[in-house]
Amino acid sequence: MVFSHRGHVVTIAERNVARLGSLRRGVSPISETGLEEMLRDGIAAGRIHAVETAAEAVASAEFIFLCVETPQAPDGSADLSFMIAAAEEIATNLALGAIVVNKSTVPLGTVELIEKVIGRSDVTVVSNPEFLREGTAIADSLHPDRIVVGARNREIASRVANLYSDTGAPVVITDATTSELIKYASNAFLATKLTFINTMAGLCDAVGADVLDLVQGVGRDKRIGFEFMKPGPGWGGSCLPKDISALLNIAKSVSFDADIVEAAISGNERQMELVVNKIRVAAGGTLERRSVGILGLTFKANTGDRRYSPAVSITQRLAQQGASINAYDPTVIRMDSGSVDLAHLETYDDPYQAITGTDVVAILTEWPEFRDLDFARMRELVSNPAIVDARNLLEPGPIRDLGFSYTGIGRK
Ligand code: UDX
């Protein structure tokens, strides 16, 4: 959509018939701020077309972007079967001298692998990792921090980089393996930074310090900064956990000891356990036959995505320890109780219903609307007035004044 917004003619190949239909009608198959408007504008301007097969989409294209899923295989590595199938499908249909650009996050060496699968000396495959975040995908694509392109041919890499020239973003041109590694390293660094600040929050709890003031004091150092410094219930989503595991696998495959990466992953597990512990303590020392009211199930706010969501993982742990769980999330409707990942809990369309009669309320996703809840009303509805705020979303003082016990992450 963003390429079309920049004036390019874009053909999308979509084999899922329902999604293809909605794309053609100008209805975005995913929820992302500004995406549908761009889709509609592109269709109206005749710059966006959606077709059923990749073969059709690539026939006259100069640049072909591979944006297929690379799910995590059971051993933690990336499953390339969709990408290989796409490469096989387009191989004979590519125009002479076409440039195939890989956007998916892939193991090192995938560019060479795809070149082999395509098997044409006139076609070049290039790595061009994507760094956008869910929820801010359009803004991130319009204003990227950097453009990374990896290829064996510098001139071709520059042609790909030129597609982004209007963004004014700095360009890093490198070989394909380094480019592929940059994506993993970026997400692994972000995850490690989060485990670090979560660890500092734990230390603040232990010594009676305040992590929010600590972040102010530390983050003002420009070399450290404030981004990715919000302590929480652990990091999740479809990228960070998958990519950091893949990076660990890459290191293991060459017998390289990436212990800092391993520590970031185990630290994240510990963080989720820590939140479970806080909820257990707030519920009176046991979760057996306790009722927990959960606010937030998505892996972060402003998305409907629950993949590798720390909130879901925490509720599963609570249920395993005997708690019954009532949950509210603005993106989950009551019908979603049938979803496999939510089978262990009851969902509600209303936050007040979800917390009624519960022994502890836990905020697990930082939806801004949770700040505006009527906590005086909640105080009347709960069985036991205890709040665990795993996102440090609330001001402890006013909550305590209402008679709740308040437990945050790294703050008194
Ligand atoms: C991430 C990367 O940020 C992005 O560059 C990459 O292209 C895809 O993966 P996304 O999966 O959308 O993007 O999530 P992100 O916003 O990075 O958040 C990841 C996790 O970290 C979430 O669980 C979030 O709640 C948590 N987080 C983030 C914190 O706990 N504290 C923070 O300060 C920031």
Side-chain angles (χ1 to χ4, degrees):
M1 310 304 163
V2 174
F3 277 127
S4 137
H5 178 77
R6 293 196 178 112
H8 299 287
V9 175
V10 178
T11 307
I12 307 167
E14 175 56 70
R15 343 177 114 149
N16 179 303
V17 183
R19 271 201 227 158
L20 178 67
S22 67
L23 280 171
R24 284 179 170 159
R25 287 194 310 278
V27 178
S28 170
I30 56 167
S31 154
E32 193 61 61
T33 312
L35 188 64
E36 195 155 284
E37 288 79 352
M38 274 197 182
L39 173 63
R40 291 202 173 142
D41 289 351
I43 293 172
R47 285 197 303 268
I48 294 185
H49 310 274
V51 296
E52 211 175 326
T53 65
E56 258 178 285
V58 304
S60 57
E62 199 181 341
F63 300 94
I64 294 90
F65 282 81
L66 294 177
C67 315
V68 297
E69 247 190 298
T70 51
Q72 195 171 351
D75 68 353
S77 65
D79 173 0
L80 285 182
S81 53
F82 296 114
M83 174 148 298
I84 292 171
E88 281 168 348
E89 191 181 339
I90 61 175
T92 53
N93 296 285
L94 291 168
L96 192 71
I99 299 172
V100 176
V101 186
N102 178 39
K103 271 272 162 215
S104 306
T105 303
V106 290
L108 310 189
T110 300
V111 159
E112 281 104 59
L113 175 76
I114 298 302
E115 276 187 340
K116 277 201 194 99
V117 172
I118 292 177
R120 281 178 43 178
S121 57
D122 63 309
V123 171
T124 308
V125 183
V126 172
S127 160
N128 173 217
E130 183 52 64
F131 302 102
L132 59 77
R133 289 162 299 174
E134 284 184 31
T136 52
I138 297 288
D140 289 349
S141 304
L142 290 173
H143 311 287
D145 289 338
R146 76 299 208 186
I147 300 299
V148 176
V149 187
R152 57 187 157 71
N153 179 322
R154 247 193 123 75
E155 189 263 316
I156 289 184
S158 298
R159 280 175 61 195
V160 173
N162 275 342
L163 293 170
Y164 303 91
S165 57
D166 64 314
T167 65
V171 173
V172 178
I173 290 184
T174 181
D175 60 274
T177 303
T178 307
S179 170
E180 288 164 343
L181 192 56
I182 285 171
K183 172 69 192 198
Y184 287 124
S186 298
N187 275 352
F189 184 84
L190 292 173
T192 308
K193 191 174 184 188
L194 287 173
T195 294
F196 180 83
I197 200 61
N198 284 339
T199 305
M200 289 305 108
L203 191 55
C204 283
D205 275 336
V207 301
D210 184 284
V211 76
L212 299 185
D213 290 348
L214 180 134
V215 168
Q216 286 302 313
V218 172
R220 294 222 176 267
D221 184 326
K222 289 187 197 70
R223 294 167 300 176
I224 299 173
F226 293 109
E227 296 284 331
F228 268 66
M229 288 284 269
K230 287 197 199 82
W235 37 267
S238 66
C239 293
L240 259 48
K242 176 169 79 82
D243 292 353
I244 196 168
S245 297
L247 185 70
L248 192 57
N249 274 340
I250 292 167
K252 280 187 181 152
S253 72
V254 290
S255 304
F256 186 81
D257 189 4
D259 50 2
I260 189 170
V261 172
E262 227 157 328
I265 297 171
S266 57
N268 201 40
E269 279 299 305
R270 197 182 52 228
Q271 189 66 11
M272 291 187 256
E273 266 316 308
L274 188 133
V275 173
V276 171
N277 277 340
K278 284 180 185 269
I279 296 171
R280 188 192 306 108
V281 170
T286 178
L287 288 163
E288 207 61 60
R289 288 185 298 279
R290 291 293 198 271
S291 169
V292 183
I294 297 290
L295 297 176
L297 290 166
T298 52
F299 83 96
K300 64 175 185 179
N302 304 316
T303 173
D305 199 342
R306 299 194 303 271
R307 283 176 291 174
Y308 295 95
S309 169
V312 173
S313 176
I314 287 166
T315 58
Q316 280 161 347
R317 292 163 203 240
L318 294 170
Q320 274 157 14
Q321 294 183 35
S324 64
I325 321 279
N326 296 342
Y328 167 79
D329 184 285
T331 67
V332 177
I333 50 171
R334 195 163 166 73
M335 266 160 43
D336 286 338
S337 286
S339 306
V340 181
D341 67 325
L342 304 182
H344 58 288
L345 52 80
E346 278 293 322
T347 57
Y348 291 82
D349 296 334
D350 172 80
Y352 300 100
Q353 275 175 15
I355 59 92
T356 298
T358 57
D359 299 301
V360 51
V361 173
I363 300 177
L364 300 182
T365 310
E366 74 285 22
W367 288 103
E369 66 179 68
F370 294 159
R371 272 199 197 103
D372 303 326
L373 288 170
D374 180 347
F375 287 95
R377 180 176 166 203
M378 281 172 68
R379 173 72 184 83
E380 299 306 313
L381 296 172
V382 292
S383 283
N384 173 49
I387 291 185
V388 174
D389 179 7
R391 295 283 184 170
N392 290 339
L393 201 66
L394 309 176
E395 281 306 321
I399 294 293
R400 287 190 180 125
D401 289 347
L402 289 171
F404 281 101
S405 74
Y406 174 90
T407 313
I409 302 284
R411 66 205 288 223
K412 286 178 264 177

